[in-house]
Structures are given as structure tokens and as C-alpha cells.
Amino acid sequence: MKNFINIRDISSKDLKKIILDAKKRKNKRKKSNVLELDKDSPLKGKMLIQMFEKSSLRTRLSFYLAIKQLGGSALTLRSDELHLSKGSESIADTAKILSTFGNAFMLRTDSDKKLEEFKKHMVIPIINGLSPSSHPSQVLSDVFTIEEIKKKPISKLQICWIGDGNNNVINSLIEASVKFSFKLNIGCPKKYAPNKKLINWSKKNKGKIKIFNDVKQATIGSDVLFTDKVISMNDKVNKSKKLKDFNKFKVNSKVMSFLKPNGIFLHCLPRGSEVSNEVFLGKQSKVWQQALNRVYVQKSILLYCFGKLR
Ligand code: CP
Ligand code: NVA
């Protein structure tokens, strides 16, 4: 049994195995309907319990389909209907019950501490479906999408990120850049620089990360451009002030022109005003393929957690 909480805690070998398995499974499903099971149904009889303390569309749907296609089933709990949310049951007891009734637990939470506390008490795998500090299933899926589109290992590509330098998605992207050994340029306002601890960790682990406070410098010659909402779900900031601070960090056609000629645009969604409609709906944008690929990668993440990766 394995947990999937942060990319930095998982070996490069296992992460690459997850990507490879997702590729194989996706290839085999070219003609399958969405609810048709994979022939081997490796998670037959297993139940994934998922719980969201924050909104979700893609993560909810993709984990649901992932476990279904693997032959299992999913139950989605509303966190506000649990005794836990009212403070009348402990995490320890809740975790014990989840572990007795289900076979894996996927949690989207507003507290990294809570995730750790659940982990301490669970005897079934726990998966991080987004926390304030990381969004590992998203970023692993994005690595898959990039390799699928570019038809080469991500280690041979230059990736750039324009936007908040210190949110859950960029944190996981920094961790992925070390684990998959790819060049990562981060373009953000000075005030919104990446997490120092994480950057030090990346330096110690041969990370190839460069930080710029200028969009052009960060973007030029890149194969892939990522961005994300300026205001994340957990952001307790002065929103209008923060949005203003990012005025020079919007992704438009001019910014896209700094990429390599066949450069692509990715966004985990939902989007805000950080990207123009023209770019988001344009030819270089691969956001719909990116979103759907979450299903394939969640499946291999589940198999990793269940110790069933081929
Ligand atoms: N990208 C992503 O995690 O989307 P949701 O918040 O809709 O799950
Ligand atoms: N950084 C965003 C990601 C949403 C999927 C947030 O946390 O709101």
C-alpha cells in the first residue's frame, strides 16, 4: 500500500512507471465507451472514497471514472455532512471508519495538516486531490500530456510557468521538474516568489529552475507555457490588490510568440483573467486534452497506491 501525497516523496522510477502505465492503458481504450471497464479490471470490488472540502469539477470526475474503468466503484462524501466538519468526531475515528469501509481515500482539503493527520490514522492509501501546498495528481497528469503531445521525454524540453510563484500547482511542478529532470523557468512578480524551502530542496537535488520577474525572459525559447489563476482557492489575500500586482503577467498572443514555434499552452483550470480568450481557445492551447488526461493518470496513480502497477 502506498500513499500519493506529494511528488517529492515518490521516486522518479515510480513516477515514470505511473506515466508509462497511463500511456499503455489509454492506448488500449481508443474504442471504449467512457464506462466500459479495462479488460483486466485490476481494481474489481474495490471502493474509492473521495471527499472534497473545496470545489472541484475535474478531479471529482476523473477519479470517479478512473476507479470505475479499473473495475471498482467510487463514493463521494460531502465534507459538510460529516460529524468531523462540525467538530463532533475526530480525524482519528473518521480515518478508522473510512479505512474499514473503503479501500482508498482521496481528499481535497484546505489544510495540509489535516492530510498528514489523516495519513497517520489511515490503513488504506490516501491520495492528495489538492491541498494548499500541492496538487500532485494534476501535475503528474500534465507531465503525461506534455510527453504525449511532444512525443519526447519531458527532460528534453523547457517548461515555463507564468503566474503566482507560490501556489499548489507550481509547488508540484517544481517537485516534478526535479523528479523528471526538466528545465523550469518561473516568471512571477518579485513579491510572489516561489517557496524558498522548495527551491533549496530543488537545488540540493540538481533542479534546473530559473526564476525571473519578467515574462519575456521566463518564456523565451520554451516548449510549454503553464499558467494558473492568480487567486487560488485557499488565498486569503486582498484579491483586487493581488490581481493588480499580476497585470504584467497575463498570457496573451504576444507572450505566446516568445515560445518555440510549436510551443503549447496548458492550464489546469478553472481559469480567470490570467490568460486571454484568444490564447486559451487558440491552436496552441491543449487545455481540453490536458483535462481529460486526468482520468488516465488517476487510474495509474490508483494502481500505484494499490501496489498493482504492471
Ligand atoms: N484542475 C483541477 O483540479 O480542477 P478541479 O478544481 O475542477 O478539480
Ligand atoms: N491553484 C488553484 C488550482 C485549482 C485546480 C487553486 O488552488 O485554486
Side-chain angles (χ1 to χ4, degrees), residues 52 54-62 108 129-130 135 137-138 142 169 228 233 267-270 290-291 294 298:
F52 297 86
K54 295 198 241 183
S55 311
S56 169
L57 175 62
R58 286 142 285 264
T59 307
R60 182 190 306 265
L61 285 171
S62 55
R108 169 167 290 195
L130 183 147
H135 197 3
S137 68
Q138 173 71 54
D142 296 343
V169 180
D228 186 11
M233 288 185 275
H267 192 308
C268 66
L269 303 177
Q290 177 188 9
R294 302 277 313 272
Q298 316 295 32

Side-chain angles (χ1 to χ4, degrees), residues 141-284:
S141 180
D142 296 343
V143 171
F144 173 87
T145 300
I146 290 168
E147 294 194 340
E148 179 176 70
I149 293 168
K150 294 290 177 187
K151 297 186 174 46
K152 51 171 103 160
I154 195 168
S155 59
K156 297 206 165 25
L157 301 169
Q158 180 176 306
I159 314 298
C160 72
W161 169 274
I162 300 300
D164 194 349
N166 193 354
N167 77 8
N168 41 18
V169 180
I170 183 60
N171 285 351
S172 293
L173 194 61
I174 290 171
E175 295 176 16
S177 82
V178 169
K179 294 288 177 174
F180 288 91
S181 194
F182 60 84
K183 285 188 203 144
L184 175 63
N185 287 355
I186 301 172
C188 59
K190 247 194 192 132
K191 236 173 96 182
Y192 302 91
N195 178 301
K196 273 198 187 125
K197 257 191 181 167
L198 207 50
I199 292 296
N200 286 338
W201 170 83
S202 84
K203 280 183 187 155
K204 272 190 205 134
N205 290 283
K206 300 188 190 147
K208 301 176 194 168
I209 297 169
K210 288 185 186 158
I211 301 164
F212 302 90
N213 303 126
D214 176 85
V215 172
K216 187 173 180 183
Q217 279 176 19
T219 316
I220 210 146
S222 293
D223 299 278
V224 180
L225 186 152
F226 268 99
T227 189
D228 186 11
K229 269 193 173 185
V230 169
I231 314 282
S232 279
M233 288 185 275
N234 54 301
D235 255 357
K236 290 174 187 69
V237 290
N238 178 331
K239 294 192 172 110
S240 55
K241 162 111 190 26
K242 188 170 180 187
L243 284 168
K244 219 166 135 201
D245 290 342
F246 279 84
N247 263 345
K248 286 191 184 151
F249 289 79
K250 288 194 176 163
V251 180
N252 52 30
S253 302
K254 186 169 177 223
V255 172
M256 289 302 287
S257 75
F258 303 140
L259 298 183
K260 284 205 186 121
N262 56 354
I264 61 168
F265 172 80
L266 295 180
H267 192 308
C268 66
L269 303 177
R271 65 172 152 146
S273 57
E274 64 285 346
V275 54
S276 70
N277 239 359
E278 200 186 355
V279 170
F280 188 82
L281 301 173
K283 270 197 183 145
Q284 287 167 286

